[in-house]
Structures are given as structure tokens and as C-alpha cells.
Amino acid sequence: DAGVIQSPRHEVTEMGQEVTLRCKPISGHDYLFWYRQTMMRGLELLIYFNNNVPIDDSGMPEDRFSAKMPNASFSTLKIQPSEPRDSAVYFCASSLDPPSRVNTGELFFGEGSRLTVL
Amino acid sequence: TQLLEQSPQFLSIQEGENLTVYCNSSSVFSSLQWYRQEPGEGPVLLVTVVTGGEVKKLKRLTFQFGDARKDSSLHITAAQPGDTGLYLCAGSNFGNEKLTFGTGTRLTIIP
């Protein structure tokens, strides 16, 4: 299995531009998570989906952020307009079952998308 | 919001030494996971604990879940350079499956 695939790996953009981050989860995984990681705030959950349906988006910073999962094999995280404080590494992760399940709740992370907003 | 505080934030020790890192919360969790993250990569799961007082061993790593399921510890015996990385604990609860990560412990093992 190829694992969770994220693109782009690196993105440098200017303030005000639209940014779209993409994620392909592991086939058969029902849960998909978007996290943001910074030195100051650590790893923060932005939103998670179950069977393509958004379950909890309380971590989405503000209306500039939106996430979609049109099908089981693809998700996007969009920032419009982007701001310098959005600079971070954005991770997508998928799991077969909820994290609380001992043997099947493991989150598999992608390699991340490093975003720099100038 | 359920917070997970990890300590120490940074730890640098010599190869062969033992160490313990901690994960504490004022909230109860149904389960707690430990991940290790290396530079440029995503976190990778080490273990999941679900029972208060549970102890799990993974080679030189020993994980313990507190009796009240509010805290956990990770003990490494005879640390090796390959243990270097960011160690993250993460908690979740049945019925609300958002996985909340701790603040992390950045471990460096000096050869």
C-alpha cells in the first residue's frame, strides 16, 4: 500500500492567495483527519471525516479555512485568502476505525505539506 | 477542550541511559496513544492503551496508563540514537473520536 499521499509537499505563496492542499487516504479507511503542526501550538486537529462526512470541524481556525471530501479517496483543505500566520505543516491522516480502537484505531499520517505564506 | 501536557519539553541524554517522559491531563480519556515523529515525516504509532493501570512493553519501551486514565508515561531503557525524535501522546474518547495530541517531548540521544 502506498500509504497516505499528500500534495504538494512544499508550497510558498503570498498573502491573499488561495491555497489548496490535497490528500489521498489509504484505501478502505473510513476516517480522515486534517492536522496543522507548528512549533508554538504543536499538532492541532482541524477537522475529521467519517465515511466522507465531516464530523467535527471545531478546530478550523476561521471561515478562511474549508475542507471537503467528495469521495472516499480524496480530500482537500483550502485556505482563502491565506495569511502569514497560516504558515505551518499540514498533515492528513487516515484510520480504519476510530482512534479509541486498540488494534484498528491507528492513524496513518502522510508526509505533510509545508506551507509558507509570505 | 481536553489538554495533554507533556514533560519534559526537551530531553537530551547519553546513549545507554534510561529516561521517562510524561503525559498528563485533567481529563479522563478512553484510550491513549503514543506516537514518534522524525524530522520531515508524519507521526508513527507506537502503542495504544485503553485500561487504567495498563502496562505495555515494546522492546526497550515501556508504556503505562494511569489508574484514573488521565495520565501516561513512557520509559526507555538503554536509549539508543535511533530513539531520537518527537514523542507525542494523544487521547480520545468513545463517541467523540477526535484525537487530541499532547505538546510533545523532543528527545535527543547523544552517541
Side-chain angles (χ1 to χ4, degrees):
Chain A
D1 200 321
V4 175
I5 300 173
Q6 291 187 245
S7 65
R9 288 295 312 278
H10 302 275
E11 172 114 4
V12 180
T13 190
E14 293 188 344
M15 182 173 64
Q17 297 297 306
E18 178 180 295
V19 173
T20 299
L21 308 178
R22 298 171 177 80
C23 175
K24 177 178 168 53
I26 293 174
S27 177
H29 280 192
D30 290 337
Y31 288 81
L32 185 140
F33 303 80
W34 281 102
Y35 284 89
R36 176 173 68 177
Q37 188 173 39
T38 61
M39 287 295 293
M40 291 296 295
R41 301 176 68 89
L43 202 57
E44 302 174 279
L45 177 65
L46 301 177
I47 186 172
Y48 81 92
F49 295 82
N50 180 19
N51 291 321
N52 314 337
V53 176
I55 303 301
D56 190 322
D57 66 353
S58 59
M60 296 286 262
E62 47 199 90
D63 292 345
R64 297 186 297 107
F65 285 68
S66 62
K68 294 182 179 180
M69 192 165 185
N71 57 64
S73 60
F74 184 66
S75 178
T76 59
L77 178 68
K78 186 176 293 187
I79 308 172
Q80 167 63 21
S82 59
E83 297 182 3
R85 59 188 168 133
D86 301 330
S87 297
V89 181
Y90 291 81
F91 285 101
C92 174
S94 70
S95 66
L96 183 63
D97 280 330
S100 56
R101 299 281 181 89
V102 174
N103 295 318
T104 57
E106 176 179 359
L107 264 64
F108 292 85
F109 282 79
E111 293 183 308
S113 294
R114 181 176 293 277
L115 173 65
T116 302
V117 183
L118 303 175
Chain B
T1 301
Q2 296 178 306
L3 297 176
L4 285 163
E5 295 287 337
Q6 291 186 242
S7 61
Q9 186 177 358
F10 298 95
L11 182 59
S12 182
I13 64 170
Q14 294 286 335
E15 180 178 359
E17 294 184 357
N18 301 332
L19 66 105
T20 303
V21 298
Y22 301 92
C23 172
N24 293 290
S25 175
S26 58
S27 304
V28 175
F29 289 98
S30 300
S31 71
L32 198 134
Q33 298 178 330
W34 282 91
Y35 288 80
R36 180 169 65 206
Q37 183 179 19
E38 299 188 17
E41 300 180 7
V44 175
L45 180 70
L46 297 172
V47 76
T48 301
V49 287
V50 297
T51 305
E54 180 178 4
V55 176
K56 278 192 173 179
K57 292 191 175 184
L58 185 67
K59 296 184 180 178
R60 294 176 294 100
L61 279 60
T62 301
F63 304 85
Q64 183 162 7
F65 202 12
D67 291 340
R69 304 205 314 276
K70 292 183 178 182
D71 56 87
S72 181
S73 63
L74 159 59
H75 181 79
I76 301 179
T77 303
Q80 299 178 2
D83 297 328
T84 293
L86 177 65
Y87 287 81
L88 296 159
C89 63
S92 66
N93 285 296
F94 297 127
N96 180 2
E97 298 294 349
K98 56 192 296 183
L99 188 64
T100 301
F101 278 83
T103 50
T105 293
R106 194 167 296 276
L107 175 64
T108 302
I109 308 301
I110 304 166

